[in-house]
Amino acid sequence: MPDQDQAELRLAVARLRQEHEDYDAAINAMIQIGSEALRIQRMKKKKLGLKDKISRLEDQIIPDIIA
């Protein structure tokens, strides 16, 4: 994979990780103030989706090595 593509993927992963952390902070704040359980559940689902995207991008950055 060219260095430019790999750098772009790493930047995308960093952005998604920051967004994931933001969702985590928002969820914790919502729990503390007693928001609706449905809203919290939706936020958790979005957070999980971000984690899946991060994993897929990291798999593209780190190639599978068959030993």
Side-chain angles (χ1 to χ4, degrees):
M1 173 180 298
D3 289 338
Q4 180 69 23
D5 291 343
Q6 193 169 18
E8 289 174 7
L9 287 175
R10 289 182 190 275
L11 182 60
V13 167
R15 287 182 185 149
L16 289 173
R17 281 188 180 147
Q18 181 62 48
E19 191 175 347
H20 186 268
E21 289 176 16
D22 292 344
Y23 270 107
D24 195 36
I27 289 167
N28 288 334
M30 290 172 73
I31 290 170
Q32 288 180 353
I33 64 170
S35 291
E36 294 177 35
L38 183 60
R39 292 185 76 183
I40 294 170
Q41 193 64 29
R42 286 180 181 159
M43 294 285 281
K44 286 181 178 182
K45 189 173 183 178
K46 288 180 182 181
K47 182 181 161 191
L48 184 59
L50 285 174
K51 188 172 183 176
D52 290 341
K53 285 182 185 179
I54 292 168
S55 294
R56 281 186 296 232
L57 289 176
E58 286 177 339
D59 287 344
Q60 289 178 0
I61 294 171
I62 303 169
D64 292 337
I65 300 173
I66 300 173

